[in-house]
Each structure stands twice: as structure tokens, then as C-alpha cells.
């Protein structure tokens, strides 16, 4: 007998590196709620984002397609409304779909398959952050810099905290509403938080959960600038990493705050899971934990993302559904584009799904069900944003990671023997055949020179459009949440009995009338 379609609670974070979580081996960070879900779920040890930057990573994840295929190159690239997302597929297969929080949609479509969207976004939806590869030396003034590290520490509140409080409140309220709803459809609720994204600032409550003396320094200390690979040098320029000295105090403060932000985010997980449990929905709900990309957090002297080193590109991926999938750890490399086919497989009970477009992801359904891992599985990644001057692509196969760019030396790492990616095997004679195999796979997947021409032309068009739209009246694309107050709480045009039935959960039973009070006495 087929199982009924499960509810799905998809919890997403921003800039949460897998190596920073206890369930991935971190000994300092405190995240008990995420750890509990990991213990009860399937944890993917080697999950990667397909583009280590917010908007392209999320668009790629939602469509199951690489950013280069859908034109989602950077944080200012439009996300085309004609590309189906997993929200479209789930909705088409009978799900109610709802988004609370950040997804960094750029363009006029601010829903992309979600029936309801509960909050605005924390970032703009226009072309204002468009890079300029042909004028790379001109550093973008809109990009963050090392003040995120230098000013790390405690705060009373922040715009990020304000945003995530709104996301959490709306998500919990939506879970409460769904429990009382007459809508019989299963739900897909995506709760997307901005923490632990920089700037690294957190309230004293969370800062005090850590002893500052226990905060660890980066495993790989700062590498001399002249010894950095060319792409890391470009990231130094884009993020102005040489503007302030990376003192031990500044590094420890930033890491302390980042860890504290993870604990804050973990508490939000606890709130959502508690809401499911209190409403009797937890057993019928698959819970997913992931992030759009990681955070270098001072490793090698690098910060932020836009890199394919492990701390920037390896993300948490946890799927908890004890009644469906037995807890286990999966070593096979996977990536965010795998979510679309996985979620549609879950929605369809593993039955064949007809896709409206070809996809780059592969369903994790077999791995979730305990089938053998595929030793030949390939994971693809792209960096097509600021910090690059030509496409940078990554392949992960088994124990090896390969990074290619037309203008940079190739990089090849054995992550089993060299998890910190110190020893570049490209150029070593004994690895030449392996390097050539990876290179051939790159040329088969991408024409990087043509892709660069497309990206630069696209950047030029967007900058002109953005410049023109800021002259005269500016019309923003930012999502404007709307609440119909005429349908909230108590209203005279609504059925009173229906309102009372939905007023609380669980709904109280209506007893039969049991007296003659108010009736005329006989005799």
C-alpha cells in the first residue's frame, strides 16, 4: 500500500558551512536541534552548492539546473519566470506551497511557484549588484568588505535578527494555520533564514553560550598573499581583505559571533519542529536542513564565499523522515540541484516523473532508501559572479575535486588524504591521466569561452537597464507581502461556527444541548 504524500518542511540557512556543524564533526559549535534531526535522519557528508553565492545557488537548487543554463550567474541575474522550480512541480502534484523568508529572487516574478509568500526578502530584487568582468580592477562599492570581520561581536539587534524573527514568527503561525485548515492538500513550507550570514553580530544571549577562550582558530592559517592562487587574490580584491590586518583578536571575535549565530539559527529550528509536534504534524512531515553555500571563516586567511574550497562550498544536507528513511550517513558526493528530482520523487512516491525541461540533478530517493552509492557520481559547480573574470568550474568525483578556469592554473585535490586542500596535484606526473580525464569532462560539459562572452554581454545589458531605471521614477521588484485583514480573526461576514472551529487547535468538541434553560415550562 502506497504511503500518502507527506508534508515537507524545508529549512534553509544562508552561509552555513557544513564543517561548522557538530553533526559534521565540529567540536565547538552548539546546535542541538540540528544535531537531533541529523541523528534521526539521512545526513549527506559531501553535499555541495552548485554556485557559492546566494542568488545563483538558490535558483540552481530550485530548478535542478546549473546557473549557466538558466542565466542565473550572480546576485543580480534575473531568475526567469518560465523555468519550472520544485515549487511548481510540487504544486502541480497536489501540494500547497508556501515561502517564508529569503530566496533572493531577482526580477518581476517574486514567487516562482509558491502559492503564498509570507515575508519580503532581505536583499533587493533588481540589477543593482551587476558585476563588470571587463573592468575587474574597479572594485564594486556595493560588495561587503572586511568590516564584517573587524566589527564582529555583540549587538542588541540587527537587520538580520529582525528579518529572521519575522521569518520564524510567520513560519510558526503558518504551521498553526495549516493544522486548523480545511485544505486537505499536503503542504510544502520553505522557511529560509539569513543567519549565519555576515556581518558577524549577535545578541549577548547567544554570545554567552560560548567561552571565548574555547573558540578555535582556523585550521589552516593565513597564507601569504603572493602564495595564493589567482582566484583567491581576486577575492582579496573584491572583498578588500587586505584593508585591515587579520589579527588573532579579530579572527576569534568573528568566529565566536559566527558560531553564536549558528546557535541562534538552531533555536529557530527548534521553534519550527516544536510547532509541528504540538500540532500533531511531525510524524507526517519530512524535515530538510540545508544552506545555499558556506563561509570560509578565516581558513587560509579567506572569508565569505565565491570559492570552491570546502568551507565555502560544502553545505549541510539532512533529510529526516524516520517512518520512511532509516537514519544513515551517505558519503557519495551530491549537490543542491538534486533537490528538485528528490522532492518530486517524494511527492510522487517514487513513481516516474515527467519533467518539462532537462535537469542537471539526480534524485536522492535511492540513497534515502538505502541503495548502494554510485562511485561514478559527478557533482558540478560554477562560479560566474564577482570575483571571477572568466567561468570557474568544479567537478567532484569520489575522493577528488577538480577546479578549472581558462585564465588560472588547474587545481586537483585528493580530499581523503588532503582534506584541507593544501597539495595541488595538477601538474604532478602521476596524476596527469586523472587530470586529463577531469579536463575532458569539463570541455564536454561547458564551452567556457562562449559562456564568458554570454555572461559579459548579459552584464552589459543589465547595467544599462539598471542605470536607466534609476533615472526618474524607480519601480522596484521587491516582494510586497499582503495580508487581507478582512479574512483574519473575527469578521461579521464570515461563518461564526467555522471561525470558532478554527480559532484554536485542537478544535474543541461541540456537545449536544443538555438542558431546558430558557424554554417555557409545561403545565
Amino acid at each position: 500500500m502506497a504511503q500518502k504524500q507527506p508534508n515537507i518542511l524545508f529549512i534553509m540557512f544562508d552561509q552555513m558551512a557544513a564543517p561548522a556543524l557538530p553533526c559534521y564533526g565540529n567540536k565547538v559549535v552548539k546546535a542541538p536541534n540540528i544535531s537531533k534531526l541529523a541523528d534521526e535522519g539521512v545526513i549527506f557528508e559531501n553535499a555541495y552548492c552548485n554556485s557559492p553565492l546566494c542568488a545563483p545557488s538558490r535558483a540552481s537548487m530550485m530548478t535542478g539546473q546549473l546557473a549557466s543554463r538558466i542565466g542565473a550567474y550572480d546576485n543580480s541575474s534575473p531568475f526567469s519566470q518560465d523555468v519550472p522550480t520544485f515549487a511548481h512541480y510540487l504544486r502541480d502534484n497536489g501540494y500547497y506551497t508556501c515561502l517564508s523568508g529569503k530566496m533572493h529572487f531577482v526580477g518581476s516574478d517574486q514567487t516562482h511557484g509558491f502559492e503564498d509568500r509570507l515575508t519580503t526578502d532581505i536583499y533587493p530584487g533588481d540589477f543593482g549588484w551587476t558585476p563588470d568582468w571587463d573592468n575587474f580592477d574597479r572594485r564594486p562599492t556595493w560588495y561587503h568588505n572586511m568590516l564584517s570581520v573587524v566589527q564582529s561581536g555583540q549587538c542588541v539587534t540587527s537587520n538580520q535578527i529582525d528579518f529572521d524573527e519575522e521569518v520564524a514568527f510567520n513560519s510558526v503561525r503558518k504551521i498553526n494555520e495549516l493544522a486548523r485548515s480545511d485544505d486537505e492538500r499536503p503542504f510544502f513550507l520553505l522557511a529560509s533564514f539569513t543567519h549565519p550570514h555576515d556581518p558577524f553580530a549577535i545578541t549577548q544571549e547567544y554570545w554567552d553560550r560560548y567561552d571565548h577562550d574555547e573558540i578555535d582558530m582556523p585550521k589552516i592559517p593565513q597564507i601569504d598573499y603572493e602564495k595564493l592562487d589567482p582566484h583567491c587574490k581576486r577575492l582579496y580584491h573584491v572583498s578588500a581583505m587586505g584593508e585591515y590586518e587579520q589579527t588573532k583578536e579579530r579572527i576569534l571575535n568573528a568566529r565566536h559571533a559566527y558560531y553564536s549565530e549558528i546557535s541562534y539559527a538552531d533555536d529557530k529550528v527548534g521553534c519550527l519542529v516544536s510547532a509541528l509536534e504540538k500540532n500533531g504534524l511531525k510524524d507526517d512531515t519530512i524535515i530538510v536542513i540545508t544552506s545555499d553555500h558556506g563561509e570560509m571563516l578565516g581558513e587560509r586567511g579567506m572569508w565569505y564565499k565565491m570559492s570552491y574550497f570546502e568551507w565555502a562550498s560544502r553545505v549541510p544536507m539532512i533529510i529526516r523522515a524516520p517512518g520512511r528513511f532509516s537514519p544513515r550517513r551517505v558519503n557519495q558526493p551530491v549537490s543542491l540541484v538534486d533537490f528538485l528530482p528528490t522532492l518530486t520523487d517524494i511527492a510522487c512516491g517514487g513513481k516516474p516523473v515527467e519533467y518539462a525541461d532537462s535537469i542537471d540533478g539526480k534524485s536522492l530517493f535511492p540513497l534515502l532508501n538505502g541503495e548502494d552509492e554510485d562511485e561514478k557520481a559527478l557533482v558540478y559547480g560554477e562560479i560566474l559572479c564577482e570575483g571571477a573574470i572568466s567561468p570557474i568550474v568544479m567537478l567532484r568525483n569520489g575522493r577528488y575535486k577538480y577546479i578549472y578556469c581558462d585564465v588560472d592554473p588547474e587545481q586537483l585535490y585528493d580530499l581523503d588524504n588532503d582534506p584541507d586542500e593544501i597539495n595541488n596535484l595538477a601538474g604532478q606526473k602521476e596524476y596527469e591521466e586523472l587530470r586529463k580525464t577531469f579536463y575532458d569532462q569539463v570541455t564536454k560539459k561547458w564551452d567556457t569561452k562562449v559562456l564568458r562572452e554570454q555572461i559579459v554581454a548579459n552584464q552589459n545589458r543589465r547595467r544599462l537597464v539598471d542605470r536607466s531605471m534609476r533615472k526618474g521614477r524607480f519601480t522596484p521588484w521587491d516582494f510586497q507581502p499582503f495580508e487581507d485583514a478582512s479574512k483574519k480573526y473575527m469578521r461579521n461576514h464570515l461563518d461564526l461556527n467555522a471561525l470558532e472551529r478554527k480559532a484554536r487547535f485542537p478544535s474543541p468538541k461541540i456537545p449536544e444541548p443538555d438542558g431546558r434553560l430558557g424554554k417555557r415550562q409545561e403545565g
Side-chain angles (χ1 to χ4, degrees):
M1 182 177 178
Q3 290 179 300
K4 70 175 184 177
Q5 289 177 304
N7 302 313
I8 302 171
L9 173 61
F10 194 109
I11 306 174
M12 190 167 192
F13 297 103
D14 194 337
Q15 214 155 302
M16 183 179 282
L21 289 176
C23 56
Y24 286 93
N26 192 288
K27 304 297 184 184
V28 180
V29 172
K30 300 171 183 178
N33 293 298
I34 295 175
S35 295
K36 188 173 189 298
L37 293 176
D39 290 341
E40 297 172 348
V42 180
I43 180 168
F44 292 86
E45 297 274 13
N46 297 293
Y48 290 88
C49 62
N50 302 97
S51 190
L53 189 66
C54 301
S57 178
R58 291 161 185 266
S60 185
M61 177 190 75
M62 285 196 66
T63 62
Q65 301 183 56
L66 294 177
S68 60
R69 289 187 56 202
I70 58 175
Y73 308 127
D74 54 64
N75 272 348
S76 196
S77 294
F79 184 0
S80 179
Q81 61 194 29
D82 68 344
V83 183
T85 69
F86 54 47
H88 287 115
Y89 282 104
L90 290 171
R91 192 169 173 180
D92 194 44
N93 280 280
Y95 273 76
Y96 165 72
T97 57
C98 182
L99 168 62
S100 177
K102 172 184 175 175
M103 281 307 289
H104 207 146
F105 295 146
V106 177
S108 57
D109 185 354
Q110 288 290 313
T111 54
H112 288 284
F114 288 103
E115 186 172 339
D116 284 318
R117 185 171 184 183
L118 307 179
T119 73
T120 190
D121 213 307
I122 193 169
Y123 289 148
D126 56 41
F127 294 163
W129 290 351
T130 303
D132 187 355
W133 279 6
D134 280 346
N135 293 284
F136 181 80
D137 289 341
R138 190 164 54 203
R139 182 183 175 273
T141 57
W142 41 261
Y143 199 68
H144 59 186
N145 54 48
M146 283 295 285
L147 285 176
S148 293
V149 174
V150 172
Q151 297 175 336
S152 296
Q154 300 177 47
C155 65
V156 174
T157 189
S158 68
N159 65 333
Q160 294 198 139
I161 292 173
D162 291 345
F163 184 79
D164 280 351
E165 290 299 311
E166 182 181 354
V167 173
F169 173 81
N170 279 280
S171 299
V172 169
R173 184 168 68 175
K174 176 55 67 173
I175 291 171
N176 293 336
E177 289 175 359
L178 290 168
R180 297 175 291 181
S181 173
D182 291 330
D183 191 339
E184 295 182 355
R185 292 177 297 172
F187 67 79
F188 175 77
L189 173 60
L190 201 164
S192 184
F193 298 92
T194 189
H195 281 87
H197 194 288
D198 67 288
F200 307 121
I202 196 65
T203 60
Q204 184 173 349
E205 172 191 355
Y206 291 95
W207 179 274
D208 288 348
R209 291 191 185 183
Y210 295 86
D211 184 337
H212 191 68
D213 292 336
E214 293 178 358
I215 303 299
D216 55 338
M217 286 289 285
K219 186 175 181 182
I220 305 302
Q222 185 171 1
I223 296 174
D224 183 75
Y225 178 82
E226 296 304 323
K227 295 181 180 179
L228 291 172
D229 65 85
H231 181 56
C232 283
K233 290 181 180 179
R234 290 193 295 269
L235 294 180
Y236 249 70
H237 166 67
V238 168
S239 297
M241 291 187 199
E243 190 172 1
Y244 295 95
E245 183 183 356
Q246 296 192 37
T247 65
K248 181 178 180 181
E249 179 185 8
R250 288 170 174 170
I251 294 171
L252 286 175
N253 282 341
R255 290 171 71 90
H256 188 154
Y258 181 78
Y259 290 172
S260 303
E261 287 184 340
I262 291 179
S263 292
Y264 170 84
D266 183 75
D267 274 6
K268 299 308 177 193
V269 173
C271 289
L272 298 183
V273 174
S274 176
L276 288 177
E277 198 161 23
K278 290 176 180 177
N279 284 290
L281 296 171
K282 186 177 179 183
D283 291 343
D284 294 327
T285 302
I286 291 176
I287 303 174
V288 177
I289 299 283
T290 196
S291 178
D292 54 359
H293 51 77
E295 159 65 53
M296 284 300 291
L297 206 63
E299 294 291 335
R300 318 166 80 91
M302 304 300 297
W303 297 86
Y304 317 128
K305 54 267 187 172
M306 300 184 300
S307 159
Y308 265 108
F309 289 116
E310 289 286 278
W311 274 79
S313 62
R314 192 164 145 246
V315 297
M317 186 183 287
I318 301 164
I319 300 177
R320 178 211 179 269
R324 294 170 182 266
F325 311 126
S326 300
R328 66 171 57 82
R329 288 181 175 263
V330 176
N331 288 313
Q332 177 183 314
V334 299
S335 66
L336 294 182
V337 290
D338 297 329
F339 269 125
L340 183 143
T342 302
L343 293 173
T344 52
D345 265 359
I346 288 172
C348 297
K351 296 178 181 178
V353 179
E354 185 175 341
Y355 296 107
D357 200 358
S358 61
I359 59 174
D360 293 302
K362 292 185 177 180
S363 175
L364 305 175
F365 205 62
L367 294 173
L368 290 169
N369 282 309
E371 295 186 19
D372 291 340
E373 299 180 19
D374 181 3
E375 295 181 357
K376 297 181 180 180
L378 266 175
V379 163
Y380 299 100
E382 303 171 324
I383 297 174
L384 311 172
C385 56
E386 61 270 21
I389 54 175
S390 192
I392 301 170
V393 297
M394 182 277 289
L395 277 70
R396 171 76 198 268
N397 174 234
R399 63 197 289 176
Y400 295 102
K401 181 195 291 183
Y402 175 75
I403 302 170
Y404 176 83
C405 179
D406 290 332
V407 298
D408 295 339
E410 295 162 273
Q411 297 176 71
L412 176 63
Y413 298 103
D414 178 350
L415 296 179
D416 281 0
N417 292 325
D418 180 26
D420 301 314
E421 300 166 290
I422 297 299
N423 183 22
N424 183 6
L425 304 177
Q428 297 186 24
K429 184 177 179 180
E430 58 268 39
Y431 292 96
E432 177 57 23
E433 185 175 345
L434 178 62
R435 184 210 64 81
K436 180 65 165 56
T437 298
F438 274 119
Y439 175 79
D440 290 343
Q441 289 170 323
V442 165
T443 56
K444 184 179 179 180
K445 186 77 174 176
W446 295 276
D447 186 332
T448 52
K449 290 182 173 57
V450 170
L451 179 57
R452 186 189 189 280
E453 292 175 359
Q454 294 172 345
I455 292 171
V456 170
N458 182 277
Q459 291 175 353
N460 291 336
R461 292 195 300 270
R462 281 185 283 147
R463 284 198 305 277
L464 183 280
V465 170
D466 183 67
R467 190 167 63 246
S468 70
M469 290 179 68
R470 294 180 189 281
K471 295 177 179 177
R473 181 171 56 86
F474 177 69
T475 303
W477 287 327
D478 306 298
F479 182 73
Q480 303 292 333
F482 172 76
E483 284 190 306
D484 187 351
S486 71
K487 296 179 181 178
K488 293 181 66 177
Y489 307 120
M490 190 70 70
R491 298 293 183 264
N492 283 331
H493 69 286
L494 301 177
D495 182 84
L496 177 61
N497 289 332
L499 284 174
E500 292 288 2
R501 179 168 51 82
K502 296 179 181 180
R504 69 194 207 197
F505 185 86
S507 179
K509 293 181 179 180
I510 301 176
E512 292 293 329
D514 56 1
R516 296 174 57 85
L517 294 176
K519 290 188 176 182
R520 183 173 60 87
Q521 296 293 315
E522 298 289 339

